[in-house]
Amino acid sequence: MTDIATNLINVKKKIAAAAASEGRKANSVELVAVSKGQESEKVRAAIIAGHRAFGENRVQEAKNKFGPLRGLCTDIELHLIGPLQTNKAEEAVKLFDVIETLDRPRLAEALSKAIQKTGRTLKFYVQVNIGNEEQKAGVALDQLDTFLSFCRKSCGLKIEGLMCIPPHKADPRPYFLQMKDLNNQYKFSHLSMGMSDDYEIAVRCGATAVRVGTAVFGKREVRG
Ligand SMILES: *Cc1c(COP(=O)(O)O)cnc(C)c1O
């Protein structure tokens, strides 16, 4: 089995070095360990190693895995990093601490209702389709301003950050830098970008959170 404690240490060292190269402190970057498609034994190993922030991309999988784990460890911080269906908004609000993939008005409305109903407080980031890709989730750049106002004014949602997944196989730098500019423009304190292949670059470009799966947990299980 992959030594998860060692992987966590190594990833954190690289994050610290990348942050230092930009004159930033290591603790200005949060490592979100992406546990989608991984057995809960591995998550448990990460928890024992002291890790607390995890990312999942499906509500049901997250519920099955983290329900029992949360009984053992009360300060887990769970991030939703995958697309959310409107009819699962309430379940998501009950389960997650950060929803990183808010990307459309109907979802904002559903989340706003779910918050009123449950009384939960959680953080929201807006996902930006930074590469303007047809098939990709996220708010189009030219819609971002309108969407952020809608979230704030019509839904009463406080947006605290932005998130992106740049186009596959392209050099992510220009996209990351554009995201950093946007984040500065809106004065958000969270910027989630970078995965196993490019998290050091993302940190050098200003990420405050990186979402790292395989570099922490090893290859994901195949699932049907
Ligand atoms: C799966 C996933 C990750 C982690 O990917 P790795 O390459 O395993 O690090 C990060 N972000 C999102 C949105 C994902 O879906």
Side-chain angles (χ1 to χ4, degrees):
M1 178 155 144
T2 337
D3 186 349
I4 287 159
T6 309
N7 292 349
L8 280 166
I9 290 169
N10 288 337
V11 170
K12 282 182 184 165
K13 271 189 197 153
K14 289 183 184 173
I15 290 172
S21 75
E22 296 299 312
R24 295 167 62 201
K25 291 194 176 139
N27 67 7
S28 67
V29 185
E30 179 179 35
L31 170 59
V32 177
V34 175
S35 50
K36 69 178 186 198
Q38 307 282 0
E39 297 164 7
S40 43
E41 272 316 301
K42 290 187 172 181
V43 179
R44 193 188 292 259
I47 292 171
I48 291 168
H51 199 75
R52 294 294 180 265
F54 297 94
E56 286 282 343
N57 67 338
R58 294 179 187 191
V59 176
Q60 195 55 48
E61 183 184 341
K63 202 171 170 178
N64 295 345
K65 209 181 297 173
F66 282 88
L69 290 169
R70 277 210 149 133
L72 300 173
C73 178
T74 52
D75 58 347
I76 287 173
E77 182 187 288
L78 196 53
H79 292 233
L80 178 65
I81 61 166
L84 178 59
Q85 289 168 5
T86 307
N87 63 3
K88 295 205 176 134
E90 191 176 323
E91 241 182 315
V93 160
K94 285 180 184 160
L95 185 63
F96 290 94
D97 303 292
V98 183
I99 291 181
E100 299 202 9
T101 48
L102 175 50
D103 66 352
R104 57 197 194 279
R106 284 201 46 220
L107 181 59
E109 286 168 346
L111 289 168
S112 168
K113 262 191 209 144
I115 282 180
Q116 281 163 29
K117 192 168 163 194
T118 60
R120 283 261 301 155
T121 36
L122 63 161
K123 291 194 170 114
F124 293 105
Y125 304 168
V126 165
Q127 182 174 357
V128 180
N129 183 357
I130 194 67
N132 228 336
E133 294 170 280
E134 188 108 24
Q135 73 294 1
K136 202 158 241 173
V139 181
L141 263 183
D142 60 0
Q143 299 293 316
L144 184 59
D145 209 56
T146 311
F147 181 63
L148 288 170
S149 309
F150 178 81
C151 289
R152 195 173 59 244
K153 291 180 190 152
S154 306
C155 304
L157 293 180
K158 189 175 171 225
I159 306 302
E160 302 194 37
L162 298 177
M163 176 271 207
C164 80
I165 309 169
H168 194 53
K169 292 193 169 141
D171 178 0
R173 263 178 213 88
Y175 300 106
F176 288 160
L177 290 172
Q178 205 179 349
M179 287 295 294
K180 184 191 178 181
D181 280 348
L182 283 173
N183 224 57
N184 288 343
Q185 191 182 316
Y186 289 106
K187 299 189 169 60
F188 291 138
S189 41
H190 300 277
L191 179 56
S192 170
M193 55 189 196
M195 323 205 316
S196 291
D197 285 339
D198 57 14
Y199 67 92
E200 293 166 270
I201 300 171
V203 170
R204 284 199 294 271
C205 293
T208 69
V210 292
R211 309 175 307 264
V212 181
T214 45
V216 170
F217 293 112
K219 231 176 130 219
R220 278 181 280 278
E221 318 269 299
V222 183
R223 52 184 163 179

